[in-house]
Amino acid sequence: MEQTAAERLRAMGIALPAASEPAARYANCVRMNNLLFVSGKGPAGHPKGKLGADYTTAEGYRFARLAGIEILAVLQSALGSLDDVRRVVKLQGFVNATAHFEEHHRVLNGCSDLMLDVFGEKGVHARSVLGAVSLRDDLPVIIDSIFEIRMQPDR
């Protein structure tokens, strides 16, 4: 029998935090039929700074992974179970970086790898990553995401 997402998280030593609250007047996520759009999430602990100046690519990878954990916490809160995720559809990352930083894709791998580890084949997704001159609260990375979820008539 295939492991559940919760079992995979436990095996990785990850305990999901409570879903963080939106930073302004918007929803953590919006459901449209069988798609769940998760608002941009940054890494827990709110590190501040730029990739290429304040942080290395390896540190950015870790920040993207932490942002992924925040995304999973929102999913858990919205759905009740990560097993209601049928597919990770898309990740879009924004990397707060210097003009000469060129490893945005390696930074976003932190979140992509987490999704693959948690969801297996359902974690394969489309993605885009953009460099940004600044991000809210000077976060090093923010990731928004789209998920296909199981249809449930009572939700």
Side-chain angles (χ1 to χ4, degrees):
M1 180 185 283
E2 187 176 326
Q3 281 186 314
T4 66
E7 289 168 340
R8 288 180 180 182
L9 283 169
R10 270 194 299 281
M12 291 185 281
I14 297 173
L16 293 180
S20 59
E21 293 297 319
R25 292 179 54 168
Y26 58 87
N28 253 345
C29 59
V30 172
R31 182 178 184 155
M32 183 60 118
N33 299 317
N34 67 331
L35 293 178
L36 191 68
F37 296 79
V38 178
S39 294
K41 292 293 173 186
H46 308 289
K48 295 179 180 283
K50 289 188 177 297
L51 277 289
D54 305 306
Y55 299 112
T56 65
T57 300
E59 289 169 312
Y61 178 98
R62 185 172 56 83
F63 294 145
R65 184 175 176 85
L66 290 171
I69 291 170
E70 293 290 317
I71 291 167
L72 294 175
V74 170
L75 289 171
Q76 177 73 33
S77 175
L79 301 173
S81 171
L82 295 178
D83 294 323
D84 284 344
V85 172
R86 298 189 68 180
R87 177 83 190 249
V88 180
V89 176
K90 182 162 186 186
L91 299 178
Q92 182 169 332
F94 300 89
V95 178
N96 187 1
T98 62
H100 298 290
F101 185 77
E102 296 182 351
E103 297 189 322
H104 305 79
H105 61 293
R106 288 192 170 97
V107 168
L108 199 58
N109 284 346
C111 188
S112 291
D113 289 348
L114 176 67
M115 295 301 154
L116 291 167
D117 291 344
V118 171
F119 296 112
E121 285 299 310
K122 297 185 297 185
V124 177
H125 54 273
R127 78 174 201 187
S128 56
V129 61
L130 305 164
V133 68
S134 68
L135 293 176
R136 72 170 166 82
D137 299 326
D138 200 26
L139 289 170
V141 63
I142 293 176
I143 303 169
D144 63 22
S145 48
I146 304 169
F147 296 84
E148 179 187 8
I149 57 175
R150 187 169 301 150
M151 290 295 288
Q152 295 183 348
D154 60 339
R155 287 190 185 179

